[in-house]
């Protein structure tokens, strides 16, 4: 009788011990997970997220299908080009019509880095002209050994064009980051403009919304789409889907006339 009680007591003791061990492990695991999920995102983390979101092949196909009178089916292609000494990411960017991706009408360098601590923003995206655009045409589509070297890229960063200051979006919004150029924009002389402005939104599905506009001295818009930003969505699995869509054939009126109000061609 005594031995049975002793055995039962030992069993209960071990059960309680195992229970305590399990609870302790659960608490430790939970604490590790909470720490991991609540770990603060650094300034450079934000810059990396933005650079990664800007990269890749994207199209405005859906928007052009909804509103072909105001939007073209444009292909954008962005990829890493080099990294500066301070850690800033330099991306190569080009835009072309879907049916002629080998003939970009716009080529730029993006430099992505954290905002200075004295500014109320998270990431700044600065656009630069390219010293020799022909040398960089279809940069992202080429094998790495056929691209300009990283040190050559740094030497080919030409004049500053614009800087957009991005902030994290408020909880509940579709976007991750959004921002614009500062009030007054930046100097621009294309098509009678004296300054230009840019807006950028980065959405959670790697969709990018951009809105570039030029204005004259009187504040009249002289280039850029008026209806709203371009919406670029990541490329579908196959870029050949819809190849024979009417969107991918030459428009009936001269391209130069239609494009004039939507994009800045190479200066």
């Amino acid at each position: 009788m005594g031995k049975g009680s002793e055995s039962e007591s030992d069993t209960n003791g071990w059960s309680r011990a195992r229970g305590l061990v399990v609870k302790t492990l659960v608490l430790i695991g939970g604490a590790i997970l909470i720490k991991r999920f609540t770990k603060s995102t650094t300034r450079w983390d934000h810059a990396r997220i933005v650079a990664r979101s800007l990269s890749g092949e994207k199209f405005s196909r859906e928007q052009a299908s909804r509103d072909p009178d105001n939007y073209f089916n444009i292909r954008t292609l962005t990829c890493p080009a080099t990294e500066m000494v301070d850690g800033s990411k330099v991306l190569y960017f080009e835009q072309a019509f879907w049916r002629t991706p080998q003939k970009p009408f716009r080529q730029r360098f993006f430099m992505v880095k954290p905002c200075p601590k004295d500014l109320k923003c998270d990431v700044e995206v600065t656009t630069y002209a390219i010293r020799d655009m022909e040398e960089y045409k279809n940069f992202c589509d080429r094998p790495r050994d056929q691209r300009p070297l990283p040190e050559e890229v740094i030497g080919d960063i030409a004049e500053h064009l614009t800087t957009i200051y991005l902030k994290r979006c408020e909880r509940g919004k579709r976007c991750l980051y959004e921002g614009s150029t500062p009030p007054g924009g930046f100097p621009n002389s294309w098509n009678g403009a004296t300054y230009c402005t840019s807006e950028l939104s980065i959405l959670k599905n790697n969709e990018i919304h951009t809105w570039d506009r030029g204005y004259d001295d009187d504040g009249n818009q002289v280039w850029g789409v008026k209806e709203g930003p371009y919406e670029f969505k990541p490329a579908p699995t196959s870029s050949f889907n819809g190849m024979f869509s009417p969107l991918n054939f030459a428009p009936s009126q001269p391209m130069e006339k239609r494009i004039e109000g939507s994009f800045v061609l190479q200066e």
Side-chain angles (χ1 to χ4, degrees), residues 26-217:
V26 168
L27 288 172
I28 292 173
I32 291 172
L33 284 174
I34 291 172
K35 185 177 181 181
R36 181 175 296 176
F37 287 122
T38 58
K39 182 182 177 182
S40 59
T41 306
T42 69
R43 297 163 62 244
W44 284 103
D45 287 336
H46 290 299
R48 280 189 286 271
I49 292 169
V50 169
R52 189 169 59 244
S53 299
L54 289 172
S55 298
E57 184 183 33
K58 306 177 195 294
F59 292 90
S60 59
R61 179 189 301 275
E62 291 183 21
Q63 190 178 31
S65 179
R66 294 196 310 268
D67 188 358
D69 291 333
N70 294 300
Y71 299 94
F72 297 102
N73 181 13
I74 300 296
R75 177 217 199 203
T76 72
L77 187 58
T78 309
C79 64
T82 191
E83 186 172 311
M84 305 298 284
V85 175
D86 67 354
S88 301
K89 306 291 185 183
V90 178
L91 310 177
Y92 170 78
F93 161 86
E94 67 181 22
Q95 287 181 327
F97 294 106
W98 185 91
R99 67 187 181 281
T100 54
Q102 74 281 7
K103 297 179 180 179
F105 60 79
R106 198 179 199 185
Q107 297 168 259
R108 299 284 186 264
F109 283 134
F110 291 156
M111 189 177 295
V112 184
K113 61 182 180 180
C115 280
K117 292 182 179 179
D118 58 329
L119 294 182
K120 294 181 178 179
C121 59
D122 295 299
V123 181
E124 67 175 47
V125 179
T126 301
T127 306
Y128 291 92
I130 299 174
R131 202 172 304 283
D132 184 357
M133 291 181 292
E134 193 65 27
E135 181 74 16
Y136 286 85
K137 192 174 289 184
N138 308 129
F139 177 90
C140 301
D141 288 321
R142 298 186 226 163
R144 291 187 181 276
D145 61 357
Q146 294 180 21
R147 299 176 181 178
L149 298 172
E151 55 268 27
E152 294 176 315
V153 171
I154 294 173
D156 286 330
I157 297 174
E159 67 270 21
H160 168 268
L161 299 175
T162 63
T163 298
I164 295 175
Y165 299 100
L166 297 175
K167 289 183 178 181
R168 283 169 289 180
C169 293
E170 295 176 3
R171 189 182 298 273
K173 297 185 72 172
R174 282 185 65 209
C175 59
L176 291 174
Y177 300 88
E178 61 183 354
S180 65
T181 48
F186 290 93
N188 183 278
S189 58
W190 193 79
N191 200 39
T194 56
Y195 70 97
C196 67
T197 62
S198 295
E199 297 179 17
L200 172 63
S201 295
I202 295 174
L203 279 62
K204 297 175 182 178
N205 59 354
N206 282 335
E207 183 176 336
I208 303 296
H209 292 186
T210 64
W211 199 0
D212 302 327
R213 288 166 286 178
Y215 298 89
D216 62 19
D217 281 328

Side-chain angles (χ1 to χ4, degrees), residues 5 86 138 223 232:
S5 299
D86 67 354
N138 308 129
W223 62 257
F232 293 102

